[in-house]
Amino acid sequence: MPFVVKLGLSVMVALAAIAGWLYMGQLGQVGPQWALVFLGPFSVFSLWIFPEVMRSKSDGRKEP
């Protein structure tokens, strides 16, 4: 995945986590709010750490 796409996705995920945290705070939901504190950064971190799955013709399948 190109760097620009990864960066854009990271920014969108971080903004969604912040918006969710603020929204849950407005509703008074403390548990889900703290879950977002963990899941937001974890999602961004995993986007950069785990490699993208690439399929090639030599993945073990037989061509007809």
Side-chain angles (χ1 to χ4, degrees):
M1 186 179 319
F3 175 79
V4 176
V5 174
K6 256 189 201 184
L7 184 64
L9 282 174
S10 296
V11 169
M12 288 191 298
V13 168
L15 289 175
I18 292 168
W21 185 79
L22 292 171
Y23 182 66
M24 288 294 139
Q26 288 291 327
L27 294 177
Q29 301 289 324
V30 177
Q33 191 177 21
W34 285 107
L36 282 169
V37 168
F38 170 73
L39 292 175
F42 178 75
S43 298
V44 173
F45 178 74
S46 64
L47 180 68
W48 288 93
I49 293 300
F50 296 119
E52 184 178 0
V53 175
M54 303 293 266
R55 295 197 183 247
S56 65
K57 290 194 179 241
S58 63
D59 62 355
R61 289 190 241 160
K62 293 182 180 177
E63 295 292 325

